[in-house]
PDB file of all heavy atoms in Angstrom:
ATOM      1  N   ALA A   6       0.844  -1.197   0.000  1.00 48.00           N
ATOM      2  CA  ALA A   6       0.000   0.000   0.000  1.00 48.00           C
ATOM      3  C   ALA A   6       0.874   1.239   0.000  1.00 48.00           C
ATOM      4  O   ALA A   6       1.857   1.312   0.739  1.00 48.00           O
ATOM      5  CB  ALA A   6      -0.904  -0.008   1.230  1.00 48.00           C
ATOM      6  N   PRO A   7       0.545   2.255  -0.827  1.00 45.00           N
ATOM      7  CA  PRO A   7       1.365   3.460  -0.868  1.00 45.00           C
ATOM      8  C   PRO A   7       1.313   4.219   0.441  1.00 45.00           C
ATOM      9  O   PRO A   7       0.292   4.291   1.097  1.00 45.00           O
ATOM     10  CB  PRO A   7       0.722   4.280  -2.000  1.00 45.00           C
ATOM     11  CG  PRO A   7      -0.668   3.770  -2.105  1.00 45.00           C
ATOM     12  CD  PRO A   7      -0.600   2.314  -1.733  1.00 45.00           C
ATOM     13  N   SER A   8       2.454   4.764   0.835  1.00 44.00           N
ATOM     14  CA  SER A   8       2.566   5.512   2.078  1.00 44.00           C
ATOM     15  C   SER A   8       2.539   6.995   1.788  1.00 44.00           C
ATOM     16  O   SER A   8       3.061   7.465   0.784  1.00 44.00           O
ATOM     17  CB  SER A   8       3.874   5.136   2.786  1.00 44.00           C
ATOM     18  OG  SER A   8       4.125   6.015   3.865  1.00 44.00           O
ATOM     19  N   SER A   9       1.934   7.760   2.701  1.00 42.00           N
ATOM     20  CA  SER A   9       1.881   9.210   2.524  1.00 42.00           C
ATOM     21  C   SER A   9       3.254   9.841   2.625  1.00 42.00           C
ATOM     22  O   SER A   9       3.457  10.981   2.221  1.00 42.00           O
ATOM     23  CB  SER A   9       0.953   9.825   3.573  1.00 42.00           C
ATOM     24  OG  SER A   9       1.429   9.524   4.877  1.00 42.00           O
ATOM     25  N   SER A  10       4.209   9.102   3.196  1.00 40.00           N
ATOM     26  CA  SER A  10       5.553   9.649   3.354  1.00 40.00           C
ATOM     27  C   SER A  10       6.414   9.446   2.119  1.00 40.00           C
ATOM     28  O   SER A  10       7.526   9.946   2.054  1.00 40.00           O
ATOM     29  CB  SER A  10       6.247   8.990   4.554  1.00 40.00           C
ATOM     30  OG  SER A  10       6.378   7.590   4.330  1.00 40.00           O
ATOM     31  N   GLN A  11       5.893   8.699   1.119  1.00 40.00           N
ATOM     32  CA  GLN A  11       6.680   8.471  -0.088  1.00 40.00           C
ATOM     33  C   GLN A  11       6.819   9.761  -0.865  1.00 40.00           C
ATOM     34  O   GLN A  11       5.865  10.526  -0.997  1.00 40.00           O
ATOM     35  CB  GLN A  11       6.011   7.415  -0.967  1.00 40.00           C
ATOM     36  CG  GLN A  11       6.139   6.012  -0.406  1.00 40.00           C
ATOM     37  CD  GLN A  11       5.484   4.991  -1.316  1.00 40.00           C
ATOM     38  OE1 GLN A  11       4.623   5.326  -2.106  1.00 40.00           O
ATOM     39  NE2 GLN A  11       5.906   3.757  -1.199  1.00 40.00           N
ATOM     40  N   GLN A  12       8.010  10.023  -1.396  1.00 39.00           N
ATOM     41  CA  GLN A  12       8.278  11.233  -2.136  1.00 39.00           C
ATOM     42  C   GLN A  12       8.339  10.931  -3.615  1.00 39.00           C
ATOM     43  O   GLN A  12       8.803   9.880  -4.012  1.00 39.00           O
ATOM     44  CB  GLN A  12       9.625  11.836  -1.713  1.00 39.00           C
ATOM     45  CG  GLN A  12       9.651  12.301  -0.261  1.00 39.00           C
ATOM     46  CD  GLN A  12      11.026  12.833   0.089  1.00 39.00           C
ATOM     47  OE1 GLN A  12      12.001  12.565  -0.605  1.00 39.00           O
ATOM     48  NE2 GLN A  12      11.093  13.593   1.159  1.00 39.00           N
ATOM     49  N   PRO A  13       7.869  11.866  -4.469  1.00 37.00           N
ATOM     50  CA  PRO A  13       8.066  11.701  -5.910  1.00 37.00           C
ATOM     51  C   PRO A  13       9.528  11.673  -6.245  1.00 37.00           C
ATOM     52  O   PRO A  13      10.372  12.150  -5.484  1.00 37.00           O
ATOM     53  CB  PRO A  13       7.381  12.943  -6.509  1.00 37.00           C
ATOM     54  CG  PRO A  13       6.495  13.475  -5.423  1.00 37.00           C
ATOM     55  CD  PRO A  13       7.144  13.076  -4.136  1.00 37.00           C
ATOM     56  N   ALA A  14       9.863  11.116  -7.427  1.00 35.00           N
ATOM     57  CA  ALA A  14      11.264  10.998  -7.824  1.00 35.00           C
ATOM     58  C   ALA A  14      11.927  12.358  -7.886  1.00 35.00           C
ATOM     59  O   ALA A  14      13.117  12.488  -7.636  1.00 35.00           O
ATOM     60  CB  ALA A  14      11.358  10.307  -9.181  1.00 35.00           C
ATOM     61  N   THR A  15      11.165  13.419  -8.222  1.00 32.00           N
ATOM     62  CA  THR A  15      11.756  14.745  -8.377  1.00 32.00           C
ATOM     63  C   THR A  15      12.086  15.388  -7.049  1.00 32.00           C
ATOM     64  O   THR A  15      12.778  16.388  -7.005  1.00 32.00           O
ATOM     65  CB  THR A  15      10.788  15.665  -9.132  1.00 32.00           C
ATOM     66  OG1 THR A  15       9.530  15.655  -8.457  1.00 32.00           O
ATOM     67  CG2 THR A  15      10.619  15.194 -10.555  1.00 32.00           C
ATOM     68  N   GLN A  16      11.577  14.842  -5.913  1.00 31.00           N
ATOM     69  CA  GLN A  16      11.809  15.453  -4.612  1.00 31.00           C
ATOM     70  C   GLN A  16      12.779  14.647  -3.769  1.00 31.00           C
ATOM     71  O   GLN A  16      12.985  14.959  -2.606  1.00 31.00           O
ATOM     72  CB  GLN A  16      10.476  15.589  -3.875  1.00 31.00           C
ATOM     73  CG  GLN A  16       9.470  16.474  -4.621  1.00 31.00           C
ATOM     74  CD  GLN A  16       8.144  16.518  -3.915  1.00 31.00           C
ATOM     75  OE1 GLN A  16       7.975  15.934  -2.847  1.00 31.00           O
ATOM     76  NE2 GLN A  16       7.179  17.206  -4.493  1.00 31.00           N
ATOM     77  N   ARG A  17      13.368  13.629  -4.344  1.00 31.00           N
ATOM     78  CA  ARG A  17      14.275  12.808  -3.570  1.00 31.00           C
ATOM     79  C   ARG A  17      15.552  13.550  -3.257  1.00 31.00           C
ATOM     80  O   ARG A  17      16.033  14.354  -4.047  1.00 31.00           O
ATOM     81  CB  ARG A  17      14.599  11.519  -4.315  1.00 31.00           C
ATOM     82  CG  ARG A  17      13.386  10.620  -4.429  1.00 31.00           C
ATOM     83  CD  ARG A  17      13.787   9.276  -4.940  1.00 31.00           C
ATOM     84  NE  ARG A  17      12.675   8.331  -4.793  1.00 31.00           N
ATOM     85  CZ  ARG A  17      12.808   7.027  -4.850  1.00 31.00           C
ATOM     86  NH1 ARG A  17      13.976   6.491  -5.080  1.00 31.00           N
ATOM     87  NH2 ARG A  17      11.770   6.250  -4.700  1.00 31.00           N
ATOM     88  N   SER A  18      16.128  13.225  -2.114  1.00 33.00           N
ATOM     89  CA  SER A  18      17.365  13.881  -1.700  1.00 33.00           C
ATOM     90  C   SER A  18      18.499  13.499  -2.620  1.00 33.00           C
ATOM     91  O   SER A  18      18.582  12.384  -3.115  1.00 33.00           O
ATOM     92  CB  SER A  18      17.701  13.469  -0.262  1.00 33.00           C
ATOM     93  OG  SER A  18      19.019  13.837   0.062  1.00 33.00           O
ATOM     94  N   ALA A  19      19.422  14.422  -2.823  1.00 34.00           N
ATOM     95  CA  ALA A  19      20.590  14.135  -3.665  1.00 34.00           C
ATOM     96  C   ALA A  19      21.478  13.097  -3.026  1.00 34.00           C
ATOM     97  O   ALA A  19      22.336  12.505  -3.677  1.00 34.00           O
ATOM     98  CB  ALA A  19      21.382  15.426  -3.911  1.00 34.00           C
ATOM     99  N   GLN A  20      21.304  12.874  -1.696  1.00 37.00           N
ATOM    100  CA  GLN A  20      22.132  11.888  -1.010  1.00 37.00           C
ATOM    101  C   GLN A  20      21.506  10.502  -1.011  1.00 37.00           C
ATOM    102  O   GLN A  20      22.079   9.566  -0.475  1.00 37.00           O
ATOM    103  CB  GLN A  20      22.363  12.323   0.442  1.00 37.00           C
ATOM    104  CG  GLN A  20      23.188  13.601   0.554  1.00 37.00           C
ATOM    105  CD  GLN A  20      24.583  13.414   0.003  1.00 37.00           C
ATOM    106  OE1 GLN A  20      25.162  12.351   0.178  1.00 37.00           O
ATOM    107  NE2 GLN A  20      25.115  14.412  -0.665  1.00 37.00           N
ATOM    108  N   GLU A  21      20.302  10.359  -1.606  1.00 40.00           N
ATOM    109  CA  GLU A  21      19.652   9.047  -1.607  1.00 40.00           C
ATOM    110  C   GLU A  21      20.431   8.071  -2.445  1.00 40.00           C
ATOM    111  O   GLU A  21      20.861   8.384  -3.548  1.00 40.00           O
ATOM    112  CB  GLU A  21      18.225   9.174  -2.129  1.00 40.00           C
ATOM    113  CG  GLU A  21      17.488   7.838  -2.107  1.00 40.00           C
ATOM    114  CD  GLU A  21      16.058   7.982  -2.568  1.00 40.00           C
ATOM    115  OE1 GLU A  21      15.635   9.113  -2.801  1.00 40.00           O
ATOM    116  OE2 GLU A  21      15.381   6.946  -2.685  1.00 40.00           O
ATOM    117  N   GLN A  22      20.599   6.879  -1.951  1.00 42.00           N
ATOM    118  CA  GLN A  22      21.387   5.855  -2.613  1.00 42.00           C
ATOM    119  C   GLN A  22      20.482   4.782  -3.176  1.00 42.00           C
ATOM    120  O   GLN A  22      19.387   4.552  -2.659  1.00 42.00           O
ATOM    121  CB  GLN A  22      22.373   5.207  -1.609  1.00 42.00           C
ATOM    122  CG  GLN A  22      23.326   6.211  -0.980  1.00 42.00           C
ATOM    123  CD  GLN A  22      24.225   6.832  -2.016  1.00 42.00           C
ATOM    124  OE1 GLN A  22      24.857   6.117  -2.777  1.00 42.00           O
ATOM    125  NE2 GLN A  22      24.292   8.127  -2.072  1.00 42.00           N
ATOM    126  N   PRO A  23      20.907   4.087  -4.244  1.00 43.00           N
ATOM    127  CA  PRO A  23      20.105   2.975  -4.757  1.00 43.00           C
ATOM    128  C   PRO A  23      20.061   1.847  -3.756  1.00 43.00           C
ATOM    129  O   PRO A  23      21.048   1.576  -3.073  1.00 43.00           O
ATOM    130  CB  PRO A  23      20.861   2.551  -6.037  1.00 43.00           C
ATOM    131  CG  PRO A  23      22.250   2.999  -5.795  1.00 43.00           C
ATOM    132  CD  PRO A  23      22.150   4.266  -4.988  1.00 43.00           C
ATOM    133  N   SER A  24      18.918   1.180  -3.664  1.00 43.00           N
ATOM    134  CA  SER A  24      18.754   0.101  -2.704  1.00 43.00           C
ATOM    135  C   SER A  24      18.763  -1.236  -3.416  1.00 43.00           C
ATOM    136  O   SER A  24      18.052  -1.446  -4.374  1.00 43.00           O
ATOM    137  CB  SER A  24      17.425   0.282  -1.957  1.00 43.00           C
ATOM    138  OG  SER A  24      17.169  -0.822  -1.132  1.00 43.00           O
ATOM    139  N   THR A  25      19.587  -2.149  -2.931  1.00 43.00           N
ATOM    140  CA  THR A  25      19.615  -3.505  -3.477  1.00 43.00           C
ATOM    141  C   THR A  25      19.136  -4.512  -2.450  1.00 43.00           C
ATOM    142  O   THR A  25      19.228  -5.699  -2.657  1.00 43.00           O
ATOM    143  CB  THR A  25      21.039  -3.870  -3.930  1.00 43.00           C
ATOM    144  OG1 THR A  25      21.936  -3.704  -2.835  1.00 43.00           O
ATOM    145  CG2 THR A  25      21.474  -2.964  -5.078  1.00 43.00           C
ATOM    146  N   ALA A  26      18.642  -4.035  -1.282  1.00 44.00           N
ATOM    147  CA  ALA A  26      18.129  -4.895  -0.235  1.00 44.00           C
ATOM    148  C   ALA A  26      16.945  -4.199   0.401  1.00 44.00           C
ATOM    149  O   ALA A  26      16.796  -2.977   0.284  1.00 44.00           O
ATOM    150  CB  ALA A  26      19.223  -5.186   0.815  1.00 44.00           C
ATOM    151  N   PRO A  27      16.059  -4.940   1.116  1.00 44.00           N
ATOM    152  CA  PRO A  27      14.913  -4.309   1.759  1.00 44.00           C
ATOM    153  C   PRO A  27      15.354  -3.213   2.706  1.00 44.00           C
ATOM    154  O   PRO A  27      16.405  -3.298   3.349  1.00 44.00           O
ATOM    155  CB  PRO A  27      14.237  -5.481   2.495  1.00 44.00           C
ATOM    156  CG  PRO A  27      14.694  -6.691   1.742  1.00 44.00           C
ATOM    157  CD  PRO A  27      16.071  -6.376   1.266  1.00 44.00           C
ATOM    158  N   ALA A  28      14.556  -2.162   2.808  1.00 43.00           N
ATOM    159  CA  ALA A  28      14.914  -1.022   3.625  1.00 43.00           C
ATOM    160  C   ALA A  28      15.018  -1.415   5.079  1.00 43.00           C
ATOM    161  O   ALA A  28      14.223  -2.176   5.618  1.00 43.00           O
ATOM    162  CB  ALA A  28      13.866   0.078   3.453  1.00 43.00           C
ATOM    163  N   SER A  29      16.004  -0.879   5.787  1.00 43.00           N
ATOM    164  CA  SER A  29      16.214  -1.160   7.194  1.00 43.00           C
ATOM    165  C   SER A  29      15.350  -0.236   8.028  1.00 43.00           C
ATOM    166  O   SER A  29      15.018   0.888   7.628  1.00 43.00           O
ATOM    167  CB  SER A  29      17.694  -0.971   7.545  1.00 43.00           C
ATOM    168  OG  SER A  29      17.881  -1.034   8.938  1.00 43.00           O
ATOM    169  N   ALA A  30      15.013  -0.648   9.221  1.00 45.00           N
ATOM    170  CA  ALA A  30      14.197   0.177  10.088  1.00 45.00           C
ATOM    171  C   ALA A  30      14.980   1.360  10.617  1.00 45.00           C
ATOM    172  O   ALA A  30      14.422   2.381  10.993  1.00 45.00           O
ATOM    173  CB  ALA A  30      13.648  -0.667  11.248  1.00 45.00           C
ATOM    174  N   SER A  31      16.296   1.232  10.713  1.00 46.00           N
ATOM    175  CA  SER A  31      17.113   2.309  11.226  1.00 46.00           C
ATOM    176  C   SER A  31      17.449   3.300  10.131  1.00 46.00           C
ATOM    177  O   SER A  31      17.443   2.975   8.962  1.00 46.00           O
ATOM    178  CB  SER A  31      18.409   1.745  11.820  1.00 46.00           C
ATOM    179  OG  SER A  31      19.128   1.057  10.847  1.00 46.00           O
ATOM    180  N   THR A  32      17.759   4.540  10.525  1.00 45.00           N
ATOM    181  CA  THR A  32      18.091   5.585   9.562  1.00 45.00           C
ATOM    182  C   THR A  32      19.483   5.350   9.015  1.00 45.00           C
ATOM    183  O   THR A  32      20.441   5.223   9.770  1.00 45.00           O
ATOM    184  CB  THR A  32      18.041   6.962  10.233  1.00 45.00           C
ATOM    185  OG1 THR A  32      16.750   7.146  10.808  1.00 45.00           O
ATOM    186  CG2 THR A  32      18.348   8.068   9.225  1.00 45.00           C
ATOM    187  N   PRO A  33      19.663   5.273   7.669  1.00 44.00           N
ATOM    188  CA  PRO A  33      20.982   5.006   7.108  1.00 44.00           C
ATOM    189  C   PRO A  33      21.912   6.197   7.310  1.00 44.00           C
ATOM    190  O   PRO A  33      21.486   7.347   7.333  1.00 44.00           O
ATOM    191  CB  PRO A  33      20.689   4.785   5.619  1.00 44.00           C
ATOM    192  CG  PRO A  33      19.420   5.519   5.382  1.00 44.00           C
ATOM    193  CD  PRO A  33      18.643   5.417   6.654  1.00 44.00           C
ATOM    194  N   LYS A  34      23.186   5.895   7.463  1.00 45.00           N
ATOM    195  CA  LYS A  34      24.178   6.943   7.608  1.00 45.00           C
ATOM    196  C   LYS A  34      24.475   7.557   6.257  1.00 45.00           C
ATOM    197  O   LYS A  34      24.523   6.877   5.256  1.00 45.00           O
ATOM    198  CB  LYS A  34      25.462   6.364   8.211  1.00 45.00           C
ATOM    199  CG  LYS A  34      25.266   5.809   9.622  1.00 45.00           C
ATOM    200  CD  LYS A  34      26.577   5.248  10.155  1.00 45.00           C
ATOM    201  CE  LYS A  34      26.372   4.679  11.566  1.00 45.00           C
ATOM    202  NZ  LYS A  34      27.632   4.128  12.104  1.00 45.00           N
ATOM    203  N   PRO A  35      24.702   8.886   6.231  1.00 43.00           N
ATOM    204  CA  PRO A  35      25.043   9.519   4.941  1.00 43.00           C
ATOM    205  C   PRO A  35      26.371   9.013   4.426  1.00 43.00           C
ATOM    206  O   PRO A  35      27.262   8.658   5.199  1.00 43.00           O
ATOM    207  CB  PRO A  35      25.093  11.011   5.301  1.00 43.00           C
ATOM    208  CG  PRO A  35      25.297  11.056   6.782  1.00 43.00           C
ATOM    209  CD  PRO A  35      24.642   9.830   7.341  1.00 43.00           C
ATOM    210  N   VAL A  36      26.503   8.927   3.112  1.00 39.00           N
ATOM    211  CA  VAL A  36      27.738   8.463   2.502  1.00 39.00           C
ATOM    212  C   VAL A  36      28.296   9.565   1.623  1.00 39.00           C
ATOM    213  O   VAL A  36      27.595  10.496   1.228  1.00 39.00           O
ATOM    214  CB  VAL A  36      27.507   7.190   1.660  1.00 39.00           C
ATOM    215  CG1 VAL A  36      27.112   6.035   2.546  1.00 39.00           C
ATOM    216  CG2 VAL A  36      26.455   7.442   0.607  1.00 39.00           C
ATOM    217  N   ALA A  37      29.557   9.454   1.280  1.00 40.00           N
ATOM    218  CA  ALA A  37      30.228  10.522   0.541  1.00 40.00           C
ATOM    219  C   ALA A  37      29.843  10.534  -0.924  1.00 40.00           C
ATOM    220  O   ALA A  37      29.629  11.571  -1.511  1.00 40.00           O
ATOM    221  CB  ALA A  37      31.743  10.394   0.693  1.00 40.00           C
ATOM    222  N   ALA A  38      29.753   9.359  -1.534  1.00 42.00           N
ATOM    223  CA  ALA A  38      29.512   9.286  -2.974  1.00 42.00           C
ATOM    224  C   ALA A  38      28.022   9.352  -3.263  1.00 42.00           C
ATOM    225  O   ALA A  38      27.211   8.780  -2.541  1.00 42.00           O
ATOM    226  CB  ALA A  38      30.088   8.000  -3.551  1.00 42.00           C
ATOM    227  N   THR A  39      27.665  10.057  -4.319  1.00 41.00           N
ATOM    228  CA  THR A  39      26.272  10.160  -4.749  1.00 41.00           C
ATOM    229  C   THR A  39      26.119   9.543  -6.123  1.00 41.00           C
ATOM    230  O   THR A  39      26.728  10.003  -7.076  1.00 41.00           O
ATOM    231  CB  THR A  39      25.839  11.639  -4.821  1.00 41.00           C
ATOM    232  OG1 THR A  39      26.013  12.222  -3.520  1.00 41.00           O
ATOM    233  CG2 THR A  39      24.376  11.750  -5.234  1.00 41.00           C
ATOM    234  N   PRO A  40      25.320   8.460  -6.268  1.00 48.00           N
ATOM    235  CA  PRO A  40      25.172   7.835  -7.585  1.00 48.00           C
ATOM    236  C   PRO A  40      24.371   8.715  -8.521  1.00 48.00           C
ATOM    237  O   PRO A  40      23.553   9.522  -8.095  1.00 48.00           O
ATOM    238  CB  PRO A  40      24.415   6.543  -7.264  1.00 48.00           C
ATOM    239  CG  PRO A  40      23.645   6.875  -6.025  1.00 48.00           C
ATOM    240  CD  PRO A  40      24.504   7.828  -5.244  1.00 48.00           C
ATOM    241  N   LYS A  41      24.593   8.543  -9.821  1.00 51.00           N
ATOM    242  CA  LYS A  41      23.870   9.305 -10.835  1.00 51.00           C
ATOM    243  C   LYS A  41      22.652   8.510 -11.297  1.00 51.00           C
ATOM    244  O   LYS A  41      22.753   7.318 -11.532  1.00 51.00           O
ATOM    245  CB  LYS A  41      24.769   9.571 -12.053  1.00 51.00           C
ATOM    246  CG  LYS A  41      25.977  10.447 -11.748  1.00 51.00           C
ATOM    247  CD  LYS A  41      26.757  10.691 -13.030  1.00 51.00           C
ATOM    248  CE  LYS A  41      27.937  11.617 -12.805  1.00 51.00           C
ATOM    249  NZ  LYS A  41      28.951  11.019 -11.951  1.00 51.00           N
ATOM    250  N   PRO A  42      21.495   9.172 -11.416  1.00 60.00           N
ATOM    251  CA  PRO A  42      20.364   8.470 -12.029  1.00 60.00           C
ATOM    252  C   PRO A  42      20.729   8.024 -13.436  1.00 60.00           C
ATOM    253  O   PRO A  42      21.562   8.622 -14.092  1.00 60.00           O
ATOM    254  CB  PRO A  42      19.269   9.544 -12.054  1.00 60.00           C
ATOM    255  CG  PRO A  42      19.657  10.522 -10.986  1.00 60.00           C
ATOM    256  CD  PRO A  42      21.155  10.516 -10.982  1.00 60.00           C
ATOM    257  N   ALA A  43      20.059   6.962 -13.904  1.00 64.00           N
ATOM    258  CA  ALA A  43      20.433   6.385 -15.190  1.00 64.00           C
ATOM    259  C   ALA A  43      20.239   7.340 -16.343  1.00 64.00           C
ATOM    260  O   ALA A  43      20.883   7.211 -17.377  1.00 64.00           O
ATOM    261  CB  ALA A  43      19.633   5.111 -15.437  1.00 64.00           C
ATOM    262  N   ARG A  44      19.342   8.321 -16.228  1.00 56.00           N
ATOM    263  CA  ARG A  44      19.117   9.248 -17.324  1.00 56.00           C
ATOM    264  C   ARG A  44      20.174  10.337 -17.387  1.00 56.00           C
ATOM    265  O   ARG A  44      20.190  11.151 -18.289  1.00 56.00           O
ATOM    266  CB  ARG A  44      17.740   9.902 -17.215  1.00 56.00           C
ATOM    267  CG  ARG A  44      16.584   8.942 -17.381  1.00 56.00           C
ATOM    268  CD  ARG A  44      16.624   8.196 -18.684  1.00 56.00           C
ATOM    269  NE  ARG A  44      16.410   9.031 -19.828  1.00 56.00           N
ATOM    270  CZ  ARG A  44      16.400   8.583 -21.073  1.00 56.00           C
ATOM    271  NH1 ARG A  44      16.636   7.308 -21.312  1.00 56.00           N
ATOM    272  NH2 ARG A  44      16.186   9.392 -22.071  1.00 56.00           N
ATOM    273  N   GLU A  45      21.088  10.375 -16.389  1.00 42.00           N
ATOM    274  CA  GLU A  45      22.158  11.359 -16.418  1.00 42.00           C
ATOM    275  C   GLU A  45      23.258  10.904 -17.365  1.00 42.00           C
ATOM    276  O   GLU A  45      23.506   9.715 -17.538  1.00 42.00           O
ATOM    277  CB  GLU A  45      22.774  11.542 -15.013  1.00 42.00           C
ATOM    278  CG  GLU A  45      21.789  12.046 -13.977  1.00 42.00           C
ATOM    279  CD  GLU A  45      21.352  13.465 -14.274  1.00 42.00           C
ATOM    280  OE1 GLU A  45      22.165  14.242 -14.794  1.00 42.00           O
ATOM    281  OE2 GLU A  45      20.201  13.788 -13.989  1.00 42.00           O
ATOM    282  N   THR A  46      23.964  11.841 -17.967  1.00 35.00           N
ATOM    283  CA  THR A  46      25.128  11.492 -18.761  1.00 35.00           C
ATOM    284  C   THR A  46      26.305  11.283 -17.832  1.00 35.00           C
ATOM    285  O   THR A  46      26.326  11.785 -16.709  1.00 35.00           O
ATOM    286  CB  THR A  46      25.463  12.618 -19.756  1.00 35.00           C
ATOM    287  OG1 THR A  46      25.725  13.811 -19.027  1.00 35.00           O
ATOM    288  CG2 THR A  46      24.300  12.852 -20.709  1.00 35.00           C
ATOM    289  N   ALA A  47      27.293  10.559 -18.312  1.00 36.00           N
ATOM    290  CA  ALA A  47      28.438  10.228 -17.469  1.00 36.00           C
ATOM    291  C   ALA A  47      29.187  11.473 -17.029  1.00 36.00           C
ATOM    292  O   ALA A  47      29.854  11.469 -16.001  1.00 36.00           O
ATOM    293  CB  ALA A  47      29.377   9.287 -18.210  1.00 36.00           C
TER     294      ALA A  47
END
C-alpha cells in the first residue's frame, strides 16, 4: 500500500542511494559518494 511519506522521484534527496536490499528500520548513515540516475550522462 502506498505511504503518505513516499516522495516523488523529483523530490528525492541528492544523497539518496540505490537500494539492493529491503529497507532497514534504522536511519541510514550519509555516505560521501552520490550515484547518478540512469538518465544522467556520465
Side-chain angles (χ1 to χ4, degrees):
S8 169
S9 59
S10 62
Q11 287 181 338
Q12 295 178 342
T15 54
Q16 299 177 3
R17 293 190 168 197
S18 167
Q20 294 297 323
E21 182 177 355
Q22 301 296 308
S24 173
T25 56
S29 171
S31 60
T32 304
K34 297 180 181 180
V36 294
T39 301
K41 296 182 177 66
R44 294 303 293 180
E45 299 293 326
T46 60

